[in-house]
C-alpha cells in the first residue's frame, strides 16, 4: 500500500506523518501493494480539514472531515472512508472481480458491527443528447447560469477538448479539463 501525505498551508512533520501512516496501517493487510492512498491536510479557518483519496484498480473512494485537531480529523476521515466501503458492500461483493481487495476486506472484517439493507440497484432513468458547441469557459458559465444548471459540458474553443464547468458550494466555479 502506498500512502502519500501532503499539506496545503501547513507543514507535515515526520512525527505527524508517522502517526497518519500508523492509523492508515489498518488498510494495509487488505489492500497490500495494490492500494494507493493520498492524504491531504489543510487549514480551514480554526479547523484542520483532512481528505483521503483511495485508488484501487482504477476505482476511487474519497472521504473528507474537519476538526480542530489534526489527528481527530484523520480519524474521522478514515471512519468515513470505511463507512463508504461498507455502504457499498453489497455492490462490491456482487462484483468481486472488479473489487477483489475491497471484497476481501469486507468479508474478513469481523470486528465491524453493522447491518445492511439491500439497496435497490440504481439505474439510468433519463438520457439526454446535445450538440457540443465551441465556447470559452466564460461563455460556458454564462450559458450554465442562463439554463439554471449547476454544471455544463462544452467544447473549449481554444483546446478543442470536451470540458465541464460546474458551480461549487462556495459560489465559485470549477473547471474539469480532461487529459488525453
Amino acid at each position: 500500500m502506498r500512502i502519500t501525505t501532503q499539506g496545503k498551508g501547513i507543514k507535515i512533520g515526520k512525527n505527524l506523518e508517522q502517526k497518519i501512516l500508523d492509523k492508515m496501517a489498518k488498510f494495509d493487510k487488505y489492500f497490500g501493494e495494490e492500494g494507493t492512498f493520498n492524504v491531504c491536510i489543510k487549514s480551514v479557518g480554526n479547523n484542520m480539514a483532512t481528505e483521503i483519496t483511495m485508488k484501487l484498480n482504477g476505482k476511487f473512494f474519497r472521504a473528507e472531515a474537519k476538526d480542530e485537531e489534526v489527528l481527530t480529523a484523520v480519524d474521522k476521515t478514515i471512519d468515513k472512508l470505511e463507512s463508504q466501503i461498507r455502504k457499498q458492500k453489497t455492490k462490491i461483493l456482487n462484483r468481486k472481480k472488479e473489487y477483489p481487495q475491497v471484497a476481501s476486506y469486507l468479508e474478513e472484517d469481523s470486528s465491524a458491527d453493522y447491518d445492511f439493507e439491500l439497496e435497490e440497484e440504481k439505474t439510468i432513468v433519463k438520457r439526454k443528447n446535445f450538440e457540443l458547441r465551441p465556447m470559452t469557459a466564460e461563455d460556458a458559465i454564462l450559458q450554465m447560469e442562463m439554463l439554471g444548471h449547476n454544471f455544463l459540458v462544452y467544447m473549449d474553443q481554444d483546446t478543442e477538448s470536451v470540458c465541464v464547468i460546474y458551480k461549487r458550494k462556495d459560489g465559485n466555479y470549477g473547471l474539469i479539463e480532461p487529459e488525453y
Side-chain angles (χ1 to χ4, degrees):
M1 177 172 79
R2 199 173 89 234
I3 301 172
T4 57
T5 57
Q6 63 185 37
K8 291 187 178 177
I10 68 163
K11 182 171 172 36
I12 298 177
K14 292 288 181 195
N15 289 338
L16 177 58
E17 185 173 14
Q18 188 57 49
K19 288 180 182 179
I20 292 170
L21 294 176
D22 291 343
K23 290 179 180 291
M24 298 289 294
K26 70 188 325 179
F27 295 113
D28 191 36
K29 66 181 178 181
Y30 299 106
F31 304 125
E33 297 299 317
E34 299 287 326
T36 302
F37 290 84
N38 184 33
V39 181
C40 179
I41 299 174
K42 59 187 169 189
S43 178
V44 179
N46 294 334
N47 291 323
M48 300 304 289
T50 304
E51 176 185 307
I52 299 175
T53 306
M54 178 179 103
K55 181 178 179 186
L56 183 68
N57 296 339
K59 310 282 191 279
F60 290 91
F61 289 88
R62 183 183 167 281
E64 185 175 348
K66 295 177 188 172
D67 196 86
E68 292 177 2
E69 296 293 322
V70 175
L71 293 176
T72 306
V74 170
D75 286 337
K76 287 180 179 179
T77 309
I78 289 171
D79 291 344
K80 284 184 178 183
L81 190 61
E82 276 188 302
S83 177
Q84 280 183 15
I85 292 169
R86 288 188 179 126
K87 185 176 180 183
Q88 297 294 324
K89 179 183 179 185
T90 306
K91 292 178 187 177
I92 290 169
L93 291 176
N94 288 340
R95 295 192 239 161
K96 287 183 183 182
K97 291 178 185 172
E98 294 178 40
Y99 302 92
Q101 291 84 2
V102 177
S104 66
Y105 171 75
L106 293 170
E107 288 171 343
E108 295 174 21
D109 187 11
S110 60
S111 65
D113 183 24
Y114 52 89
D115 291 322
F116 289 97
E117 296 176 17
L118 290 176
E119 291 183 11
E120 186 176 309
E121 187 73 26
K122 303 289 186 211
T123 61
I124 298 172
V125 295
K126 183 177 180 181
R127 290 187 184 266
K128 201 177 225 184
N129 294 319
F130 59 95
E131 181 182 335
L132 284 177
R133 287 177 280 161
M135 60 178 78
T136 65
E138 290 77 21
D139 292 337
I141 291 171
L142 182 61
Q143 182 70 38
M144 178 181 69
E145 292 295 335
M146 289 188 328
L147 292 171
H149 293 168
N150 54 6
F151 74 93
L152 181 77
V153 179
Y154 71 99
M155 173 85 66
D156 189 281
Q157 72 182 17
D158 297 328
T159 63
E160 295 184 359
S161 63
V162 176
C163 298
V164 177
I165 194 89
Y166 62 95
K167 190 162 194 162
R168 296 172 44 94
K169 290 179 186 176
D170 63 6
N172 292 312
Y173 300 97
L175 176 63
I176 300 173
E177 298 176 294
E179 292 181 5
Y180 300 101

